[in-house]
Amino acid sequence: MDNQMQFEYNVEGGNFTRAGYASSQIKKILKQLNVDIAIIKRTVVAAYEAEVNVVAHAYSGTIYVDIDTEAVKIKLVDEGPGIPDIDQAMEEGYSTASSQVREMGFGAGMGLPNMKKNADKLEISSEVEKGTTVEITMFLNDKG
Amino acid sequence: MKIKEIVKILDARVVCGEDQLEQTIDVAFASDLMSDVLTLKNDNVLLITGLANLQTIRTAEMSDISCIIFARNKKVSIELIELARENEMIVLECRFSVFKTCGLLFTAGVKPIF
């Protein structure tokens, strides 16, 4: 397809100094592409929540960003403990975050529900003791 | 309200964004929970918080928040200031509690989000 762009970022589990770096880069790219600011905000909020989750829960992860004229797709693949019960994890208020994560201003069980609210499409798959994959899709032409 | 008026009301220290004090904000929100900040839909929000770490700045960046007040006499790190500068944010430090900070700004006419 024409005008397709791909980016990749590594995320280090537990490194809160760097958490948000990838989402920040995604925001800069979308701004340069003149994407509507309301869509940018929803995209980067969802991406940042997902990135913080990787830092908070996984050992390491990779963020793959795929942008074309129709949509922005952000896929976060992590190696970590996985999510035993995704439905439970999606419940507002449910959290397994550590005290360190809570000290950072997160871990209230709001991340996944907020990702769902902001993303046009959210897909989560997980395997316990292997890792989790989160796919956020944002449509750029009012298809959300 | 203009940021420079807020600086005056709170006797705040301008940590960065000195050249942007003519900017105005529409509404304010106070929270130490960044997850709550990330649920806000409004634009042009002033954030009042006692949580002074890099994720506060990252959260503000994603939420398009350009002015943050660190209350409770919290001191910000050099790394925090650098990240805030990179994002062209205005950062203020204020010695009052979050409660008093909010009270003073509310009395002066700053509106809540809800």
Side-chain angles (χ1 to χ4, degrees):
Chain A
M1 183 184 276
D2 288 332
N3 302 319
Q4 192 165 12
M5 299 169 87
Q6 285 171 326
F7 303 91
E8 202 178 308
Y9 305 96
N10 292 318
V11 183
E12 200 184 318
N15 187 349
F16 270 98
T17 306
R18 222 177 123 79
Y21 174 81
S23 303
S24 176
Q25 297 304 309
I26 294 169
K27 183 172 184 179
K28 288 188 180 95
I29 292 163
L30 296 179
K31 266 178 145 174
Q32 276 172 11
L33 294 172
N34 281 322
V35 172
D36 176 78
I37 51 164
I39 297 176
I40 294 180
K41 187 166 166 178
R42 286 195 293 116
T43 307
V44 299
V45 165
Y48 178 57
E49 294 270 25
E51 186 179 355
V52 166
N53 271 353
V54 174
V55 176
H57 298 286
Y59 316 127
S60 67
T62 309
I63 303 179
Y64 303 94
V65 184
D66 208 318
I67 306 169
D68 61 31
T69 51
E70 302 287 315
V72 180
K73 288 180 187 160
I74 302 167
K75 187 173 173 178
L76 301 95
V77 181
D78 76 39
E79 285 175 30
I83 306 170
D85 185 339
I86 292 172
D87 288 338
Q88 189 181 31
M90 289 302 296
E91 279 173 24
E92 224 158 293
Y94 180 81
S95 178
T96 59
S98 66
S99 56
Q100 189 209 359
V101 173
R102 291 169 203 265
E103 280 163 21
M104 289 289 150
F106 301 99
M110 296 172 68
L112 286 173
N114 199 31
M115 277 159 60
K116 198 173 181 183
K117 275 176 209 151
N118 283 285
D120 289 330
K121 202 167 125 196
L122 179 70
E123 287 173 299
I124 304 171
S125 60
S126 190
E127 205 176 328
V128 174
E129 286 172 27
K130 286 257 173 84
T132 300
T133 298
V134 171
E135 275 189 85
I136 297 161
T137 306
M138 308 299 295
F139 298 111
L140 297 174
N141 306 303
D142 296 316
K143 284 183 189 167
Chain B
M1 183 178 282
K2 282 189 178 176
I3 305 295
K4 69 172 185 188
E5 292 171 64
I6 290 169
V7 171
K8 203 174 161 193
I9 291 164
L10 299 175
D11 189 23
R13 187 173 88 86
V14 182
V15 175
C16 66
E18 302 85 350
D19 54 339
Q20 300 174 73
L21 302 182
E22 291 293 329
Q23 270 190 38
T24 58
I25 53 102
D26 300 332
V27 288
F29 187 75
S31 183
D32 281 1
L33 185 65
M34 293 304 113
S35 305
D36 268 332
V37 180
L38 286 166
T39 63
L40 303 177
K41 303 268 179 283
N42 305 56
D43 292 320
N44 225 2
V45 175
L46 166 75
L47 175 63
I48 301 154
T49 185
L51 189 79
N53 66 44
L54 288 179
Q55 294 317 309
T56 311
I57 303 297
R58 286 295 188 202
T59 298
E61 178 188 359
M62 304 311 155
S63 307
D64 291 327
I65 290 172
S66 59
C67 184
I68 307 171
I69 298 173
F70 289 100
R72 262 189 256 138
N73 214 17
K74 296 291 169 191
K75 299 294 173 207
V76 298
S77 67
I78 290 171
E79 291 79 14
L80 187 151
I81 299 168
E82 277 171 8
L83 191 59
R85 280 223 172 95
E86 215 176 274
N87 284 289
E88 293 171 356
M89 288 173 187
I90 306 159
V91 172
L92 311 177
E93 278 178 358
C94 148
R95 65 182 188 280
F96 303 135
S97 66
V98 169
F99 181 72
K100 182 164 176 177
T101 304
C102 293
L104 288 170
L105 294 180
F106 188 86
T107 308
V110 177
K111 298 285 176 226
I113 292 179
F114 56 84

